Amino acid sequence: MRGTDRETAAPAAPGTGAGAGGAPGARTNEASRSRTPGASRTPGGSRTPGSRTPRRTPAGAAVLREDVTDAIRAAVFEELAAVGFARMSIEGIARRAGVGKTAVYRRWKSKLALVLDLVSAFAAQGLPAPATGSLYGDVRALLEVAAHALRHPVASRVIPDLLVEAARQPEISEAIRAALLDGQRGIAAVIVREAVERGELPAGTDADRALDLVIGPLYWRLVVVRSGLPQGYLDDLAASAVAALTRD
């Protein structure tokens, strides 16, 4: 069963609310209003100056349920697959998740914020730069990780649709760059720097160009063409990329 729109709230402090023997929100006795701030009573009934009462969680504060959040995120993938980003709506997401619109808006202010949150969470799953001790080994390891990531629903469904919208909304383009491209560039820079230090690449090798040579063909095949990878494909692609980078 999908998430519901019911989310828990922090309990009201004792002696408040309609169940305290008076009007809603009223205190149970008038004496409580005249207590000195910061004072507390001892077991004998006297107050100890300077003692502080621990803070309570504000009554009625919403506690967001993880199962509801997970249901909303799952609904986003279904909605994107069905109608695309442009036609996707908070109403449609809420309906698929089995919650009210308010449950979505408690977490994200807009559908763009929701989708970008998913993309950022996906990018945060990235691994450190490989350190195999050789350029070929590093490139082959990077391709293995990238191939796994590009098969993820965020890469295969969400990102291509967002790239179309990015042409019309600069905010989307900037968010994708920050979430995905910057991290990949950092990994490529490490691989190139270490290869230069080992003497496998000449000084001044362009890390961005290296990233294009390594990841570009893989992205084209898995995300654009949506074709499977034949046996040995990653080995051959790594060898081709290294040959292109090391040619005189």
Side-chain angles (χ1 to χ4, degrees):
M1 182 177 177
R2 289 300 184 96
T4 67
D5 200 19
R6 295 176 179 271
E7 301 201 66
T8 58
T16 63
R27 294 186 179 274
T28 56
N29 59 72
E30 209 49 44
S32 62
R33 297 180 181 174
S34 61
R35 291 181 182 174
T36 304
S40 63
R41 291 187 181 274
T42 64
S46 61
R47 287 193 296 270
T48 304
S51 299
R52 294 185 178 276
T53 303
R55 291 180 178 272
R56 293 190 178 96
T57 301
V63 179
L64 301 181
R65 288 171 42 186
E66 284 298 323
D67 61 326
V68 174
T69 302
D70 292 342
I72 294 171
R73 284 176 169 149
V76 172
F77 289 121
E78 297 175 10
E79 190 74 358
L80 280 169
V83 302
F85 178 82
R87 294 176 57 196
M88 186 178 74
S89 66
I90 296 295
E91 292 82 358
I93 293 169
R95 185 169 54 252
R96 287 182 183 274
V99 302
K101 290 190 297 182
T102 55
V104 181
Y105 282 119
R106 285 189 194 111
R107 294 162 172 82
W108 299 278
K109 64 181 181 179
S110 66
K111 70 175 185 178
L112 176 58
L114 170 54
V115 172
L116 292 181
D117 177 63
L118 292 180
V119 173
S120 297
F122 167 71
Q125 298 174 6
L127 297 176
T132 66
S134 72
L135 177 59
Y136 173 83
D138 287 351
V139 169
R140 178 62 178 79
L142 177 60
L143 285 170
E144 188 73 39
V145 172
H148 177 75
L150 290 173
R151 292 187 181 101
H152 191 282
V154 170
S156 62
R157 299 184 197 174
V158 178
I159 293 176
D161 203 22
L162 287 180
L163 289 175
V164 174
E165 293 299 320
R168 294 188 284 268
Q169 298 189 50
E171 183 180 2
I172 296 179
S173 177
E174 293 169 5
I176 292 177
R177 176 181 296 274
L180 300 177
L181 182 58
D182 290 350
Q184 294 297 317
R185 278 178 168 171
I187 293 175
V190 172
I191 292 175
V192 168
R193 183 180 69 245
E194 293 183 350
V196 170
E197 292 173 353
R198 289 190 299 263
E200 294 180 279
L201 289 176
T205 297
D206 189 334
D208 284 350
R209 174 173 170 269
L211 183 63
D212 292 343
L213 287 170
V214 175
I215 302 298
L218 187 63
Y219 182 88
W220 174 265
R221 189 175 191 105
L222 290 179
V223 179
V224 181
V225 180
R226 297 181 183 271
S227 173
L229 301 181
Q231 186 174 2
Y233 177 83
L234 295 182
D235 297 332
D236 292 343
L237 181 57
S240 298
V242 169
L245 289 169
T246 55
R247 69 178 183 178
D248 294 332

